[in-house]
Amino acid sequence: MLRLAAVALRFDPPVAGLPELLTPDGAAEWALNRMPISREQAIVDSEARKSEYMAADDDFYAPVGQAFSVDNEVNVGFTALQDVELILSALPWVSSAVTTSRTRREIDAWLAIRDQL
């Protein structure tokens, strides 16, 4: 929705009659309501992921040049954090056009921690 709202912003003259979900405010609110974890939890999970990667040995990575089977039952972990990062990558595309102060404050709060993830 964020990407579609960003595309709609490019039209001049603006596209009339867009559904609320495709406006900057609507798309941003929609995305913020779908954040799977809090900002605090995102920071904690990011630190845990960094620690796990730093402590990883060769068994952590897929073998190079060898057959590799994927076990769909294995929990990859950090999927909620990845969802947050995906949303944060698109929020700046509409953030400057958001007019609702509450939504704007929430966007700013999320974008403020982006460099910590």
Side-chain angles (χ1 to χ4, degrees):
M1 293 305 141
L2 290 168
R3 287 175 171 84
L4 290 173
V7 169
L9 282 173
R10 294 181 184 167
F11 284 93
D12 189 27
V15 178
L18 281 176
E20 177 64 23
L21 188 55
L22 296 181
T23 65
D25 287 273
E29 188 170 328
W30 177 86
L32 292 168
N33 287 334
R34 278 155 183 74
M35 287 293 197
I37 53 179
S38 67
R39 287 185 293 278
E40 296 78 16
Q41 188 61 49
I43 293 169
V44 168
D45 288 356
S46 179
E47 290 300 320
R49 181 178 62 183
K50 287 175 192 172
S51 295
E52 189 175 310
Y53 287 156
M54 295 304 289
D57 60 8
D58 289 341
D59 293 336
F60 181 79
Y61 301 98
V64 176
Q66 299 175 16
F68 178 72
S69 66
V70 176
D71 183 0
N72 291 331
E73 299 297 319
V74 175
N75 182 2
V76 176
F78 303 116
T79 56
L81 179 59
Q82 290 172 334
D83 289 345
V84 167
E85 291 168 332
L86 184 60
I87 292 169
L88 290 181
S89 72
L91 265 177
W93 298 349
V94 298
S95 63
S96 63
V98 169
T99 59
T100 309
S101 60
R102 182 185 61 78
T103 303
R104 181 78 207 166
R105 283 191 306 273
E106 189 69 12
I107 290 171
D108 290 343
W110 274 103
L111 293 179
I113 68 157
R114 185 170 51 171
D115 291 339
Q116 296 176 46
L117 305 181

